[in-house]
Amino acid sequence: FGGTSLADPDRIRHVTSLLDAREPPLAVVVSAMSGVTDRLLGLAERAPSSENDLDEHLQALRDDQRAVVTNLLDGEAAASVLRTLDADVDDLADVLRATRLMGTAPNTTRELVAGYGELWSARVLGSVLRARGLSVAVCDAREVLVVTHEDLGPVVDWEATRERFAKWRADHADADVIVATGFIAATPDGVPTTLGRNGSDHSAAIFASLLGAESLTIWTDTDGVMSADPQYVPDARRLDSISYEEAMEMAYFGASVIHPRTLAPAVEHEIPITIRNTFAPERPGTRIHLDGDGASVVKGFSTIDDVALLNLEGSGMIGVPGIARRLFDALEDEGVSVILISQGSSEHSICFAVPQAQATVAREA
Ligand code: ASP
Ligand code: MG
């Protein structure tokens, strides 16, 4: 469930009703309530230079979270979630104070601070489900999910992760429902980290793989994967069913409903994925699985913004072997990633697209 699906107590209630319709065993991966990650990151960013208003922002965040807890829970269930929340906020205040003294917010600090929203969502939803009589275990993904950060983004250390998850699972063997935090993880040294902004879908795919899930449903705020970006194409329509490969293509080329690296762990295990709209659960969403539907060859169009086109041309290129290699070697030396390549049949020009941010470097190369 993404952040908008959990944005306020009513929506969290709605989520529990969606879960009621499912047969356990069930694992639920949650994002922070919408806006919470931004607020947390704002605290970390302002901490080094701020005077005194930080505490105020932190207290406001705490009050908002407290209001959610007391709206949804009562008695000892509420009290216990509130105690942990207060302890977290105390920790956060310490971290922010240390950041102010140091005068800088290193990445490790930002990663730690950014992840609290998911912990709060998971604890609240876990307690709400428990209050409804389910046997629930809340999983802090930092205890099980081990990732390293590479050029292309976070990479899961599957061996370590599977080992830790097996241990965690054994300790919580009697739970019918697992509520796990999205977005957060730990480095091999146990330092808290994240999977990057909007990483909760990725977490969901990782948990699906760890559990050998029958299916993965990504509950979000859109109807599914669209045939084009409705901002540009008014008659874009929802796709019923697409293959993993098609979904990957769409994701890499800008269909923002799926995080580009989200699918891989589920795809490897051939777990069918459905993208559903939390606010319109009667709609079927888009199913992503091995085959898609063969009905039409062209499934959709996608676009990427902020792209630069460069053209290398000259009569000296015609029929000369090795020009393309030299061109792309030169780009590789500068670490430029090429999005699209086309060569005129005359071999008089090679046109290629690169991210706008790398245009100048590419031209110089
Ligand atoms: N809460 C995180 C973010 O805002 C992760 C997510 O929403 O998927 O980026
Ligand atoms: Mg989100």
Side-chain angles (χ1 to χ4, degrees):
F1 288 94
T4 50
S5 302
L6 301 159
D8 58 44
D10 280 338
R11 290 190 183 173
I12 295 175
R13 268 186 210 100
H14 176 61
V15 163
T16 62
S17 73
L18 292 174
L19 294 173
D20 279 344
R22 303 272 172 137
E23 267 312 297
L26 207 57
V28 187
V29 177
V30 290
S31 293
M33 299 175 71
S34 61
V36 170
T37 311
D38 287 332
R39 288 168 77 181
L40 288 164
L41 279 170
L43 287 170
E45 254 137 51
R46 286 191 307 269
S49 58
S50 77
E51 297 297 317
N52 290 319
D53 67 331
L54 254 192
D55 274 349
E56 226 172 90
H57 287 290
L58 182 57
Q59 291 314 327
L61 189 52
R62 184 182 78 135
D63 291 345
D64 290 349
Q65 290 292 314
R66 284 187 77 98
V68 173
V69 176
T70 49
N71 185 302
L72 288 164
L73 294 161
D74 41 36
E76 179 44 35
S80 127
V81 178
L82 290 176
R83 271 196 302 275
T84 342
L85 174 66
D86 286 343
D88 286 348
V89 172
D90 288 347
D91 288 347
L92 270 169
D94 288 345
V95 170
L96 295 172
R97 211 164 293 134
T99 306
R100 179 160 37 199
L101 289 173
M102 293 193 302
T104 171
N107 197 41
T108 42
T109 304
R110 274 184 280 131
E111 295 278 281
L112 167 70
V113 171
Y116 277 94
E118 271 68 16
L119 288 168
W120 296 339
S121 287
R123 290 201 200 108
V124 168
L125 183 66
S127 299
V128 171
L129 295 174
R130 209 172 278 134
R132 293 163 77 92
L134 289 161
S135 91
V136 181
V138 173
C139 178
D140 173 350
R142 295 173 307 185
E143 287 172 28
V144 295
L145 230 166
V146 182
V147 300
T148 55
H149 290 283
E150 314 287 338
D151 284 349
L152 286 170
V155 173
V156 180
D157 178 339
W158 285 105
E159 210 183 298
T161 298
R162 285 196 189 283
E163 199 182 300
R164 289 186 197 190
F165 186 68
K167 219 171 279 161
W168 184 91
R169 192 75 187 100
D171 288 343
H172 299 85
D174 49 0
D176 290 329
V177 180
I178 296 170
V179 178
T181 53
F183 184 48
I184 58 177
T187 69
D189 300 332
V191 178
T193 187
T194 71
L195 300 177
R197 292 310 303 270
N198 303 314
S200 291
D201 292 350
H202 193 185
S203 307
I206 295 168
F207 276 103
S209 160
L210 290 174
L211 288 156
E214 215 166 82
S215 67
L216 166 63
T217 307
I218 294 180
W219 289 96
T220 178
D221 51 6
T222 58
D223 282 346
V225 180
M226 303 294 283
S227 58
D229 185 339
Q231 278 184 79
Y232 304 123
V233 185
D235 53 353
R237 54 180 189 80
R238 181 186 53 82
L239 298 171
D240 271 329
S241 163
I242 52 176
S243 70
Y244 291 133
E245 277 186 356
E246 290 161 345
M248 283 292 192
E249 254 349 281
M250 298 287 284
Y252 275 105
F253 288 95
S256 58
V257 66
I258 341 172
H259 185 279
R261 295 165 67 83
T262 292
L263 301 173
V267 172
E268 265 162 42
H269 294 264
E270 299 179 5
I271 299 167
I273 302 163
T274 312
I275 316 277
R276 304 272 306 261
N277 189 340
T278 321
F279 307 108
E282 70 286 357
R283 297 188 194 143
T286 297
R287 192 176 146 84
I288 307 170
H289 55 150
L290 214 47
D291 293 327
D293 66 14
S296 62
V297 177
V298 177
K299 294 292 169 54
F301 297 86
S302 52
T303 57
I304 331 179
D305 293 326
D306 301 322
V307 166
L309 274 182
L310 287 98
N311 204 37
L312 177 75
E313 62 179 34
S315 49
M317 291 164 58
I318 300 175
V320 182
I323 295 283
R325 181 183 52 72
R326 286 173 57 194
L327 166 62
F328 295 113
D329 273 354
L331 293 170
E332 184 194 355
D333 287 344
E334 296 302 323
V336 174
S337 146
V338 177
I339 297 165
L340 171 142
I341 303 165
S342 104
Q343 179 180 267
S345 61
S346 69
E347 296 182 44
H348 160 266
S349 67
I350 299 174
C351 181
F352 57 98
V354 302
Q356 179 70 55
Q358 293 188 302
T360 307
V361 175
R363 186 171 56 198
E364 274 158 17

